[in-house]
Amino acid sequence: MEKRLGEVGLEDLYRAGGSTISIKEATHMYQAIAASRASDPDPRRVWKEVVSRRVLKPWHPHHLHQLVYYSVYANWDVSINGPPLYWFPSLDESKITNLGRIMEIHGPKLLGTSYKDPIESFSLFQKFSVQHPETYWSIVLGELSIVFHRSPSCILDNSKKLEPSGAWLPGAVLNIAECCLLPSTHPTKEDNSCALVWREEGRDDLDVNRMTLKELREQVMVVANAVDATFSKGDAIAIDMPMTVSAVVIYLGIILAGCVAVSIADSFAAKEIATRLRVSKAKAIFTQVYFWLSIFL
């Protein structure tokens, strides 16, 4: 059983810190934690205060971080409250998240004067999303730039008793790769917006690579056109590759062409790959000739 915060002594902190902290630093840490606990008994606010005071440093051993964290949340009931919170965004940080931006735009209209900001009104907004799925998910679908080839008859159909969770977007037809690749008025989804960030394996000395949405769309179209010219819509096409930028382009190209992407882990043996090709009835497979192998001595 984890110690409660009030049971964690100066010696516990000093021992957990190992050679990274002195007795003076351990004393300062102990006093700061005690002050945080005295200001508010709520473990969420205690942990937030510990973080804001920068009591723990990146170079402190993980065991020390764990000791403080789990002692703060020693009485936390996960079954009721969910996982104990670790990171708390600032108000400014919360406003630039996707959800925070939606809340800032639509919160005052949907919640009226009850709406304050993305942090204080989070629970209220979440409750509204559950009680009014048609309104909330219409907003989210618009934010995600979802384009339907055939629009759904509604957002959520609860009329069928055999489907206790309801039927979402009944009758809708869309191509999710198309939705990913089309530019929109969303501030992070213009043609010159960054869509992919990656680094070549084995080339840690080089800068990371970036690809814009327009560049990604152009590359995906090459794959989609080739697949469309060779196969029929609904055909299964396998991918047996590591998660590289090429794999992302190929995956989106298969979906955009109207085919079914069959993902196969690149770590599988030939027999396991063959089994998955047979079960999925794949008409073709994208793979690569060689892999980088790094050996550390």
Side-chain angles (χ1 to χ4, degrees), residues 10-66:
L10 176 59
E11 254 187 66
D12 296 313
L13 296 172
Y14 181 64
R15 191 165 49 247
S19 60
T20 63
I21 62 172
S22 64
I23 190 66
K24 182 179 179 181
E25 288 173 313
T27 302
H28 173 72
M29 183 180 295
Y30 178 76
Q31 292 171 343
I33 292 172
S36 299
R37 179 170 172 265
S39 63
D40 196 320
D42 186 328
R44 293 168 297 186
R45 295 193 178 91
V46 172
W47 179 250
K48 186 177 181 180
E49 184 68 14
V50 167
V51 172
S52 66
R53 286 172 179 261
R54 300 186 181 278
V55 172
L56 295 164
K57 311 295 184 186
W59 55 85
H60 289 157
H62 186 59
H63 179 61
L64 179 57
H65 285 256
Q66 283 187 310

Side-chain angles (χ1 to χ4, degrees), residues 148-175:
F148 293 104
H149 291 192
R150 184 168 69 232
S151 298
S153 57
C154 61
I155 297 292
L156 177 61
D157 182 1
N158 284 314
S159 63
K160 298 178 182 177
K161 294 182 179 179
L162 295 178
E163 297 178 357
S165 298
W168 288 89
L169 308 177
V173 176
L174 72 149
N175 186 306

Side-chain angles (χ1 to χ4, degrees), residues 6 31 52 84 117 136 141 157 171 215 218 221 225 287-288 291:
Q31 292 171 343
S52 66
D117 59 63
Y136 174 73
L141 291 171
D157 182 1
E215 291 168 336
E218 289 170 349
M221 286 298 299
N225 288 334
T287 188
Q288 63 186 62
F291 293 85

